């Protein structure tokens, strides 16, 4: 699948909300274009329209990105078609965050304006649908797609903009570590790294990158943002339970012999696992385990999740950050090298970019609705 034109569908570069504070404008950039688009959207509103805020999840593998493109399957295109079938007239979907081909979303957000017209009396405008009705109806028309679903719908004011009102965006990146071939269930859902990764060194490298910096070294050449400065509120690496998870026979036997109830494993996971517990045998068949699991039972990979949280990101910034952190994990780069790359302010200094398949838009934060 070819990469989406960055100008048409940047992976991680949602234009920021306009601000009257000059410092913020210098930091985030792109304000004039956003103000023009916001004014155009607001002026297009007319009586009878109801604006809905819609949360959607999708597997990005079969999408050519999120933004609508002629003769290509995209997130916006599929959503607009589903809404058209539901209300009988075309709509315009405005996403909070754009994603590239192959990038997934646990929760992306968009807004859409819907006018409810009577089917019995054409031209008669009816009261707006309840959000629950919208969610159920749109999912009905999405069910044949198999890789996208509406998870939440809220009624909002006519001036609420999914992109400009967003306060923060969180991305996750999954790495599966181990020499074993990647499971069919994980295909195109994570970056498979066969070498062992030094988790502590990766965590130290994160500390260099958190904060307000010129991220020119982590900005792809197609980036349209006017400023390379961004404030990275969080960048972390954690080892987590790889999914899908099914308890081993050892765990089931231990659970039975200890007389623990049916919720015991849930309670263990809820309280959090100690550092290194996954690789030290808590999950039978971990990548470092020498245990013979038996015929037909495959060894599990270790799973690292990198979390990046900021108000906005530059084009391909997260995937470039992950590429550098992975190189630190393999020992190809040191923590000092990361600082050098950041200060170089040149994309040529960074490591190769991580593939799209491991990236997930996790959450878009708004003021309480």
């Amino acid at each position: 699948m070819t990469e989406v034109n960055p100008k048409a569908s940047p992976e991680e570069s949602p234009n920021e909300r306009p601000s009257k504070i000059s410092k913020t404008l210098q930091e985030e950039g792109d304000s004039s274009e956003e103000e023009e688009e916001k004014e155009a959207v607001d002026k297009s509103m007319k009586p009878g329209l109801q604006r809905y805020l819609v949360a959607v999840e999708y597997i990005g593998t079969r999408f050519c990105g999120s933004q609508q493109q002629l003769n290509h399957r995209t997130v916006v295109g599929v959503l607009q078609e589903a809404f058209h079938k539901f209300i009988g007239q075309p709509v315009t979907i405005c996403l909070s965050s754009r994603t590239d081909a192959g990038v997934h979303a646990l929760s992306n957000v968009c807004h859409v304006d819907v006018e409810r017209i009577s089917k019995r009396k054409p031209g008669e405008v009816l009261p707006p649908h309840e959000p629950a009705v919208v969610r159920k109806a749109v999912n009905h028309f999405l069910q044949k797609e198999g890789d996208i679903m509406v998870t939440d719908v809220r009624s909002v004011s006519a001036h609420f903009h999914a992109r400009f009102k967003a306060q923060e965006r969180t991305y996750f990146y999954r790495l599966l570590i181990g020499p074993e071939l990647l499971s069919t269930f994980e295909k195109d859902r994570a970056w498979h790294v066969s070498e062992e990764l030094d988790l502590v060194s990766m965590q130290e490298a994160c500390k260099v990158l958190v904060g307000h910096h010129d991220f020119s070294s982590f900005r792809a050449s197609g980036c349209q943002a006017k400023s390379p400065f961004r404030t990275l509120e969080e960048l972390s690496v954690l080892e987590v339970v790889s999914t899908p998870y099914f308890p081993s026979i050892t765990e089931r036997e231990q659970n039975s012999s200890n007389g623990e109830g049916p919720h015991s494993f849930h309670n263990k996971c809820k309280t959090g696992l100690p550092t290194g517990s996954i690789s030290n045998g808590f999950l039978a068949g971990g990548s470092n385990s020498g245990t013979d699991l038996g015929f037909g039972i495959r060894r599990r990979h270790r799973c690292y999740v990198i979390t990046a949280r900021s108000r906005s990101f530059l084009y391909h910034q997260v995937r470039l950050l992950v590429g550098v952190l992975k190189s630190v994990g393999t020992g190809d780069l040191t923590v000092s090298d990361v600082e050098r790359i950041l200060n170089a302010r040149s994309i040529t200094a960074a490591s190769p970019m991580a593939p799209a398949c491991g990236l997930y838009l996790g959450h878009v934060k708004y003021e309480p609705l």
Side-chain angles (χ1 to χ4, degrees), residues 288-299:
N288 292 333
S289 173
T291 305
D292 182 5
L293 304 179
F295 180 75
I297 303 178
R298 63 178 298 144
R299 201 171 303 282

Side-chain angles (χ1 to χ4, degrees), residues 258-295:
N258 293 336
E260 297 176 336
H263 304 296
S264 59
F265 182 74
H266 168 75
N267 292 334
K268 289 179 182 177
C269 292
K270 186 176 181 180
T271 57
L273 299 175
T275 302
S277 62
I278 294 175
S279 60
N280 291 336
F282 184 81
L283 296 181
S287 61
N288 292 333
S289 173
T291 305
D292 182 5
L293 304 179
F295 180 75

Side-chain angles (χ1 to χ4, degrees), residues 53-174:
L53 195 64
V54 181
V56 58
E57 65 179 17
Y58 51 86
I59 299 169
T61 307
R62 296 194 302 119
F63 286 105
C64 296
S66 58
Q67 294 302 101
Q68 190 169 21
Q69 301 174 64
L70 187 63
N71 299 324
H72 288 86
R73 184 175 184 263
T74 66
V75 174
V76 166
V78 167
L79 285 174
Q80 288 183 164
E81 183 180 357
F83 268 95
H84 192 173
K85 291 178 179 178
F86 168 39
I87 65 174
Q89 53 187 322
V91 300
T92 299
I93 297 288
C94 182
L95 281 174
S96 66
S97 306
R98 302 171 184 176
T99 54
D100 265 355
V103 176
H104 318 291
L106 303 176
S107 182
N108 202 344
V109 180
C110 66
H111 73 248
V112 58
D113 299 324
V114 174
E115 184 178 38
R116 185 183 177 191
I117 304 296
S118 173
K119 295 181 179 180
R120 295 182 178 181
K121 299 179 180 179
E124 180 182 354
V125 179
L126 301 176
H129 292 286
E130 289 296 320
V133 173
V134 175
R135 176 184 175 184
K136 183 177 181 179
V138 174
N139 277 333
H140 170 75
F141 292 109
L142 289 174
Q143 60 184 340
K144 291 184 179 179
E145 300 292 338
D147 53 5
I148 183 170
M149 184 178 75
V150 171
T151 59
D152 202 358
V153 179
R154 302 286 178 88
S155 297
V156 293
S157 71
H159 300 291
F160 190 99
H161 199 286
R163 184 163 56 180
F164 303 142
K165 289 290 186 179
Q167 296 182 325
E168 195 174 72
R169 295 165 174 87
T170 300
Y171 283 89
F172 299 113
Y173 197 98
R174 297 182 70 233

Side-chain angles (χ1 to χ4, degrees), residues 173-177 182 189-193 197 202 237-238 240 242 301-306 322-323 325-326 354 358:
Y173 197 98
R174 297 182 70 233
L175 300 104
L176 292 179
I177 300 103
L182 203 61
R189 309 292 175 86
W191 185 8
H192 179 209
V193 180
L197 298 181
M202 294 173 71
V237 190
L238 292 175
V240 302
S242 60
H301 292 83
R302 298 175 68 175
C303 182
Y304 290 176
V305 172
I306 297 174
V322 171
L325 292 177
K326 181 261 186 183

Side-chain angles (χ1 to χ4, degrees), residues 311-341:
R311 180 172 174 236
S312 62
F313 294 88
L314 300 168
Y315 180 48
H316 283 168
Q317 182 181 352
V318 175
R319 289 166 61 188
L320 286 164
L321 289 168
V322 171
V324 165
L325 292 177
K326 181 261 186 183
S327 294
V328 171
T330 58
D332 294 327
L333 292 176
T334 65
V335 175
S336 297
D337 289 329
V338 175
E339 189 169 2
R340 173 184 56 78
I341 291 171

